[in-house]
Amino acid sequence: MKIALNLAKKGLGYVSPNPCVGAVVVDRQGDIISKGYHRFYGGPHAEVYALKHLDKKQAKDATLYVTLEPCNHFGKTPPCTELIIEKGIKNVVVGILDPNPIVNGTGIKRLKESGINVTTGVLEDLLSKFYKPFNKYITKKIPFVTLKVAQSLDGKNAVKYGNKYLVSEKTLKFVHRLRFESDAIMVGINTILSDNPKLNIRYGHKKPLLKVVLDTNGRMPENAEIYNTEGKVLIYTTNKKFKKKHDNEEVCYVDKAGMYCDILQVLNDLGKRGIQNLLIEGGGTLSFELIKSKVVDRLVLIITPYVIGGNKFLSFDGEGFLSLKEAFKVEDYWLKKIDKDLILVSDLI
């Protein structure tokens, strides 16, 4: 199942809003005879790649390990359960049930009815973490939100002059991999005005990204760099007088919540657009609003080895939480070192 999970991870950035799935077939001696994973949205599922080259003699007495419950319905592809039955697989080991209501439990039921031995819940805790984005998107119809924040040792987000990147080039490659694994990238208007970012993918595998800007008052400059890179630009604003100025731009009007755009309204709209994984690279103001609103699912905090100094010793702009009792406490996290940068990753919800 660990091998199947590693195969599933190869689909990150390619298959959304479908789930990433990996499959491994072993013979009666436990030797691997075939493997597969879901490679692109709308393409064959992992089970198809793992089984298509096996004849019934090879499949007899074989065991199929699959990270997610096989589908039992016609969608963009035929049901995987029928292929498993047709091939004569004797045993199926499933990591976790599919939360999608049109699948949930029906795939297992169909396999059992055909006489196949089915085992479920193998590496369930590990797979539950892996499928968190898919599970949230399916059950709540809104994206899984990852907030990426880079800061100095003393909590500064940027310097006034010179190189605007606090992180190393190796860490930049890590960040651009996060972008690739996402369906959309979001920033606040202050980031656009201060940094004028491209918000594209410049390292590793590349694809167009939906570039989202929260622009409450409609201050988006017509000559912003994000209009010059591949992918659509989506502006959320409360200013009804703000109109689109580019062919690759869409303006969406939302309600105001406090001083900012209603973030829940934004997330619901993105969910309707099929955005499963949303990466937010916010500055201090936006980051704090998101943390305070409790909409962040995963925090990726990059701590760089600089002390910038100054009077403002706050990670986020503004006052922030006024007491530890109010503050959001990270309970569970893992650390990773890239070059001289420290990466802290924590699931907050």
Side-chain angles (χ1 to χ4, degrees):
M1 191 62 77
K2 286 182 179 178
I3 294 170
L5 174 56
N6 286 333
L7 286 168
K9 290 177 181 178
K10 291 184 176 184
L12 288 169
Y14 294 99
V15 305
S16 182
N18 282 353
C20 298
V21 181
V24 175
V25 183
V26 302
D27 61 20
R28 67 171 70 187
Q29 285 77 37
D31 295 324
I32 294 175
I33 56 176
S34 186
K35 296 182 290 187
Y37 67 96
H38 187 27
R39 299 183 182 185
F40 59 93
Y41 175 69
H45 291 183
E47 298 92 325
V48 176
Y49 283 112
L51 295 173
K52 66 179 181 178
H53 296 303
L54 297 182
D55 57 35
K56 289 190 176 182
K57 184 177 179 180
Q58 291 172 304
K60 185 181 179 182
D61 296 328
T63 299
L64 169 68
Y65 289 81
V66 60
T67 54
L68 189 69
E69 176 184 6
C71 64
N72 189 47
H73 65 285
F74 281 92
K76 289 186 177 295
T77 59
C80 291
T81 51
E82 298 309 309
L83 177 63
I84 295 168
I85 295 166
E86 178 190 328
K87 288 288 185 176
I89 294 291
K90 185 177 181 180
N91 307 293
V92 175
V93 181
V94 175
I96 192 169
L97 267 62
D98 192 330
N100 193 332
I102 62 175
V103 180
N104 192 246
T106 63
I108 303 297
K109 182 181 178 184
R110 177 71 181 105
L111 294 175
K112 286 183 175 179
E113 287 174 347
S114 70
I116 295 174
N117 301 316
V118 181
T119 303
T120 60
V122 175
L123 293 187
E124 188 169 8
D125 288 346
L126 186 61
L127 289 165
S128 293
K129 292 179 181 178
F130 177 69
Y131 284 115
K132 269 187 176 182
F134 176 67
N135 185 66
K136 181 184 180 185
Y137 175 73
I138 288 295
T139 59
K140 297 186 178 181
K141 310 300 182 187
I142 60 175
F144 185 88
V145 177
T146 298
L147 172 63
K148 189 274 301 181
V149 177
Q151 65 174 51
S152 64
L153 284 171
D154 56 339
K156 305 306 188 305
N157 299 119
V159 290
K160 192 170 183 179
Y161 302 109
N163 186 2
K164 65 181 180 179
Y165 296 118
L166 296 180
V167 304
S168 70
E169 186 171 355
K170 288 183 179 179
T171 303
L172 269 179
K173 291 178 180 178
F174 165 78
V175 171
H176 282 246
R177 179 65 197 183
L178 287 180
R179 289 183 179 184
F180 180 80
E181 293 177 1
S182 304
D183 304 314
I185 180 169
M186 177 190 286
V187 296
I189 186 60
N190 288 336
T191 295
I192 296 291
L193 295 175
S194 60
D195 295 344
N196 197 18
K198 292 181 173 66
L199 298 186
N200 59 349
I201 302 171
R202 300 185 295 279
Y203 295 91
H205 298 287
K206 297 175 177 63
K207 69 176 183 182
L209 277 175
L210 175 65
K211 295 165 286 187
V212 182
V213 181
L214 293 183
D215 182 13
T216 306
N217 299 314
R219 295 184 291 155
M220 188 71 180
E222 191 173 350
N223 61 347
E225 278 290 336
I226 62 171
Y227 294 120
N228 300 321
T229 57
E230 194 177 9
K232 182 178 176 181
V233 177
L234 177 59
I235 311 292
Y236 287 101
T237 183
T238 65
N239 182 358
K240 298 290 179 66
K241 294 181 180 179
F242 183 83
K243 304 297 179 183
K244 64 174 287 187
K245 303 177 183 69
H246 298 268
D247 291 338
N248 63 337
E249 177 184 26
E250 180 181 350
V251 177
C252 186
Y253 303 107
V254 293
D255 297 328
K256 211 168 186 178
M259 296 175 60
Y260 306 99
C261 294
D262 187 330
I263 188 62
L264 291 179
Q265 198 173 341
V266 169
L267 292 178
N268 275 295
D269 183 67
L270 288 172
K272 291 175 183 176
R273 295 171 186 267
I275 302 302
Q276 180 184 139
N277 290 281
L278 174 65
L279 176 64
I280 302 178
E281 296 189 11
T285 303
L286 177 59
S287 297
F288 179 66
E289 282 302 310
L290 295 169
I291 293 286
K292 188 171 65 173
S293 301
K294 298 182 179 179
V295 298
V296 177
D297 298 289
R298 181 168 292 155
L299 173 65
V300 178
L301 177 63
I302 304 172
I303 304 171
T304 64
Y306 298 102
V307 176
I308 294 173
N311 295 323
K312 190 184 289 184
F313 290 93
L314 295 171
S315 296
F316 304 123
D317 293 341
E319 285 190 322
F321 293 113
L322 299 180
S323 70
L324 288 179
K325 187 176 180 181
E326 295 176 89
F328 197 99
K329 184 179 180 182
V330 173
E331 299 286 353
D332 188 24
Y333 59 88
W334 60 266
L335 296 170
K336 177 178 183 177
K337 194 168 183 291
I338 300 179
D339 204 358
K340 294 183 179 180
D341 299 326
L342 186 64
I343 319 292
L344 181 148
V345 180
S346 177
D347 285 349
L348 302 184
I349 298 176

